[in-house]
Amino acid sequence: MNVPGAPPAPSVHWSRSLRVRLLAVTLAGVAVAMVLAGLVLSGLFREHVQQQFQAALQLQLDQITARLEFDAQGQPVIAAEALSDPRWLKPYSGLYWQVDAMAPDGRERAGVLRSRSLWDTSLALQVDALADGAVHVHEMAGPQGAPLLVLERTVRADAEGVHAARWRLMVAADLHATQAATARFTGVLALSLAVLLVLLAAAAWAQVALGLKPLQALQRAVQDVQEARASQLQGSFPAEVQPLVDDFNAVLRRHGEVVERARTQAGNLAHALKTPLTVLDNAARAQTPTHGPELAALVREQVVVARRHIDWHLARSRVAASAHLPGQRTALQPVVEGLVRVMNKVHADRALDISVVQPPVSLFFAGESQDLQEMLGNLLDNACKWARSAVRLQAQLLPAGSEPAQPQLVVAVEDDGPGINAAQRAQALERGVRLDETVPGTGLGLAIVQDLAALYGGRLDLEPAGLGGLRATLTLPAANAH
């Protein structure tokens, strides 16, 4: 379908057309079915006519057998007036009988006795092993080359206790009528099946056209999205297509969220960098020879603030792009051990006791290793800054249930510092807020953890710790161990 103003659709080879494929497969299947049906029905009809014809000829053979008599010399005699069918008397009528003498050595003397309908010809049937009373069926060429169906039977006659010769009785009938009836039936059947094939082809075309019509509606909906007339696929679609539409709309929503988040992050980063840059600019304008050390300290402080903002926004951008990718898996223990080693070096002058409590089974985070390091590193660094002497990290796995449906990895970091009250806990999660200016930092650590956890569908909770200070509990999606 062409849309005004849209570029012409590229030509598609017929082998890649779904419509052509469906029609070709359907028509091929229907054609094969019609041919097989024609062969089977024609064969069944031919067999039925043949059986009926043979049954009627069997009655004629029984009549000839019943009318067969032998004279005093043992010769066969059949009275013509004793036979009921007048065709026996009409030359080349298509119905014939014949009696042959069978010699003891198996040689025969054909045409000992025959019907008047044979006129001056005889049936030259080859001799075969025929038991007494058994009936054999043959096809042969008869008078004037007509195809005949022949039934034969062997009988014996006893005369004055002397065993007489064997006699072969034959009846034959012209097959022209049966062949003509079969041909007529085959012609009518072929025509009927051809008409049926055409009707089925039309029905298949209509079925394919109606079946693919929703795809045309889907194509129009995609073009509406592409040309900014709609933000999502809109319309009524069949149940088989609706899951695809829902998934595509979910991708569009996800894309819109990513774009909006990127815009927001770009604006936030611009505003975050504006303040330290303004401070640096003002300090540079107002500097005097006596302000050299103070200016250097101010520059270092503002550079740290700017770098922290940049790191935060870069981390958010990375997680926003990869938070929902399938197959991500990060082991918790190596990340925790590496961070503990770093914290022991950074805070070596304070001799803090940093302990780790983990279950005996390995725990895995369903996300990127860098993101897990960013979140746990901020929590451990914050705890070490406020702790008096001890920091403890505990991890556990919450199995999946009705809510949440996915297993959860819970990591709690607590310290024995002064802690904060309930009002300050909510304030501590706000970006750029520092509760104590005497402790170095930018006020972004906990806010970064909260934002990154939210992008993964997790959360950060603050509460009083058993050690006396603050307990930060990080809940994240867990990955399977295998």
Side-chain angles (χ1 to χ4, degrees):
M1 175 180 180
N2 294 328
V3 178
S11 59
V12 179
H13 193 266
W14 64 267
S15 61
R16 298 182 59 189
S17 171
L18 186 59
R19 183 189 305 273
V20 172
R21 290 183 182 181
L22 291 175
L23 285 176
V25 172
T26 301
L27 292 180
V30 171
V32 170
M34 293 296 101
V35 171
L36 292 178
L39 293 176
V40 171
L41 292 176
S42 178
L44 290 175
F45 181 79
R46 184 184 300 107
E47 182 180 358
H48 174 73
V49 171
Q50 188 85 356
Q51 289 177 351
Q52 294 298 319
F53 189 77
Q54 182 177 329
L57 200 57
Q58 176 75 42
L59 294 177
Q60 300 288 7
L61 179 60
D62 292 341
Q63 183 184 21
I64 295 297
T65 304
R67 297 294 184 266
L68 178 63
E69 298 178 354
F70 298 92
D71 57 16
Q73 288 76 31
Q75 295 300 312
V77 177
I78 297 179
E81 63 275 6
L83 301 178
S84 59
D85 197 321
R87 289 179 296 173
W88 299 119
L89 304 176
K90 182 179 178 180
Y92 306 128
S93 63
L95 184 60
Y96 316 104
W97 60 264
Q98 181 175 301
V99 179
D100 292 346
M102 303 294 294
D105 59 359
R107 291 178 299 178
E108 63 176 296
R109 186 161 55 88
V112 173
L113 194 63
R114 61 179 182 269
S115 65
R116 184 176 177 81
S117 56
L118 279 172
W119 199 243
D120 57 352
T121 62
S122 61
L123 302 176
L125 190 64
Q126 293 182 355
V127 179
D128 57 357
L130 190 64
D132 292 343
V135 176
H136 282 193
V137 182
H138 304 275
E139 289 189 14
M140 60 175 291
Q144 301 177 339
L148 300 179
L149 180 67
V150 182
L151 271 63
E152 64 169 337
R153 171 186 289 160
T154 299
V155 298
R156 294 177 181 270
D158 293 331
E160 299 178 355
V162 178
H163 187 67
R166 298 167 63 210
W167 303 92
R168 182 172 67 174
L169 279 65
M170 293 182 293
V171 294
D174 195 336
L175 288 172
H176 273 136
T178 60
Q179 291 177 347
T182 302
R184 286 194 302 272
F185 176 81
T186 302
V188 173
L189 178 63
L191 179 60
S192 302
L193 292 179
V195 173
L196 180 60
L197 177 61
V198 172
L199 294 177
L200 290 178
W205 181 86
Q207 182 180 14
V208 171
L210 292 176
L212 296 181
K213 191 173 182 180
L215 296 184
Q216 297 176 350
L218 180 60
Q219 181 186 16
R220 290 192 295 269
V222 172
Q223 290 175 344
D224 290 340
V225 172
Q226 185 178 4
E227 298 177 6
R229 290 193 294 268
S231 60
Q232 291 198 335
L233 299 183
Q234 298 177 354
S236 178
F237 301 98
E240 292 79 7
V241 181
Q242 190 62 46
L244 175 63
V245 175
D246 294 339
D247 292 343
F248 193 80
N249 284 335
V251 172
L252 291 177
R253 287 193 297 270
R254 170 81 174 150
H255 179 267
E257 293 172 359
V258 171
V259 172
E260 184 63 28
R261 191 158 46 239
R263 291 174 179 172
T264 302
Q265 289 176 2
N268 291 339
L269 180 58
H271 287 291
L273 294 179
K274 184 176 180 180
T275 299
L277 291 177
T278 301
V279 172
L280 291 176
D281 181 65
N282 294 334
R285 294 175 184 274
Q287 66 174 330
T288 63
T290 60
H291 291 165
E294 292 82 357
L295 178 61
L298 180 62
V299 169
R300 285 195 298 271
E301 179 184 354
Q302 296 305 313
V303 167
V304 170
V305 173
R307 182 180 295 113
R308 195 63 172 166
H309 279 291
I310 292 174
D311 292 340
W312 177 48
H313 286 285
L314 288 178
R316 283 179 56 89
S317 299
R318 184 181 65 250
V319 176
S322 62
H324 298 285
L325 294 178
Q328 298 184 109
R329 184 169 172 268
T330 300
L332 176 65
Q333 183 174 354
V335 174
V336 171
E337 292 176 351
L339 291 174
V340 170
R341 287 194 298 267
V342 171
M343 294 301 158
N344 283 326
K345 292 180 181 179
V346 172
H347 303 279
D349 56 335
R350 301 180 58 197
L352 295 175
D353 178 20
I354 304 177
S355 60
V356 178
V357 180
Q358 293 192 64
V361 296
S362 299
L363 302 180
F364 295 89
F365 163 57
E368 290 283 347
S369 175
Q370 289 180 329
D371 300 330
L372 184 61
Q373 291 177 357
E374 182 78 18
M375 290 183 281
L376 293 184
N378 277 291
L379 293 182
L380 284 172
D381 184 54
N382 186 75
C384 291
K385 288 178 181 179
W386 293 95
R388 295 188 177 94
S389 61
V391 174
R392 182 169 61 191
L393 184 148
Q394 293 179 303
Q396 62 177 328
L397 179 68
L398 295 181
S402 58
E403 183 65 33
Q406 182 180 3
Q408 300 291 304
L409 175 64
V410 180
V411 182
V413 179
E414 55 184 344
D415 59 75
D416 61 348
I420 56 178
N421 56 41
Q424 290 176 321
R425 289 173 205 153
Q427 188 179 7
L429 296 177
E430 297 179 4
R431 180 158 46 99
V433 174
R434 299 174 58 188
L435 300 180
D436 190 346
E437 297 292 337
T438 64
V439 179
T442 60
L444 294 174
L446 296 179
I448 290 177
V449 176
Q450 179 177 248
D451 287 347
L452 296 185
L455 289 174
Y456 276 103
R459 67 179 186 275
L460 175 64
D461 299 314
L462 302 180
E463 56 189 351
L467 296 179
L470 179 67
R471 176 186 176 94
T473 303
L474 180 62
T475 303
L476 297 170
N480 294 327
H482 302 288

